[in-house]
């Protein structure tokens, strides 16, 4: 969704912008910049361009209630959570600079879409590593497919909750008219994330920061 600052009064968007800046600075400090692979970094930049295009392919019912793929789960699995948060912020800034998003609502959109989606994906990855077998299928299906769909739906729930609490729309309209569409869209997010992740770990596994050959595929013949 693309939340407009005008739906939330005068002070809340500014507070959200401040919170976003603090969290982004924290995320930037957590990224091991010197250890980033150059080819992977180029791939991640290309992913930002692709994600911006995904955000532009959207439909909507009312202001703040638009429907598009998010890409947060794929970013988290490709880059790790900290770099994913920075990349999603860059995507939103680029869209706002091009006039395709509300500049004053950047903080709200990042806090209510990128942050919960990345947090859920990162949490699911940690739980899967702790409790589930280290299997390739587990990584693709649980961390890619299931977490991908759940991440979009979680972001949608956060946005709908914010809109309802702000009084922007009646609760019955949000639950009856908007929520079912986000549920359906979450399946598209799940399929897209799982498919792209499977292709990348097969052909470009070094681009996927959270994938480890030794853990998910075991020791292969000829591998040093």
């Amino acid at each position: 969704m693309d939340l407009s600052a005008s739906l939330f009064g005068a002070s809340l968007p500014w507070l959200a912008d401040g919170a976003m800046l603090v969290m982004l600075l924290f995320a930037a400090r957590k990224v091991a910049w010197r250890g980033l692979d150059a080819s992977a970094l180029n791939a991640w930049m290309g992913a930002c361009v692709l994600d911006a295009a995904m955000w532009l392919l959207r439909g909507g019912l009312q202001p703040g209630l638009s429907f598009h793929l998010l890409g947060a789960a794929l970013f988290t699995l490709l880059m790790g959570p900290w770099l994913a948060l920075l990349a999603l912020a860059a995507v939103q800034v680029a869209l706002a600079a091009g006039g395709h998003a509300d500049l004053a609502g950047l903080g709200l959109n990042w806090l209510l879409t990128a942050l919960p989606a990345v947090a859920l994906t990162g949490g699911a990855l940690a739980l899967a590593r702790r409790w589930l077998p280290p299997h390739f299928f587990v990584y693709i299906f649980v961390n890619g497919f299931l977490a991908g769909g759940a991440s979009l739906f979680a972001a949608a729930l956060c946005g709908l909750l914010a809109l309802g609490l702000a009084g922007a729309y009646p609760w019955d309209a949000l639950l009856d008219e908007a929520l079912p569409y986000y549920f359906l869209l979450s399946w598209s997010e799940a399929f897209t994330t799982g498919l792209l992740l499977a292709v990348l770990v097969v052909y470009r596994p070094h681009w996927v920061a959270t994938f480890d050959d030794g853990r998910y595929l075991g020791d292969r013949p000829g591998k040093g």
Side-chain angles (χ1 to χ4, degrees), residues 38 44 46 49 85 101 133 142 152 156 189 191 207:
W44 296 338
V49 175
L85 290 172
V142 175
L152 185 143
E189 183 84 11
F191 177 79
W207 288 1

Side-chain angles (χ1 to χ4, degrees), residues 46-58 68-69 91 94-95:
C48 289
V49 175
L50 178 62
D51 194 51
M54 290 168 57
W55 281 54
L56 289 174
L57 297 174
R58 58 192 174 190
H68 57 79
L69 297 180
V91 169
L95 290 172

Side-chain angles (χ1 to χ4, degrees), residues 67-81:
F67 306 97
H68 57 79
L69 297 180
L70 190 57
L74 185 62
F75 272 31
T76 305
L77 297 171
L78 286 179
M79 312 173 186

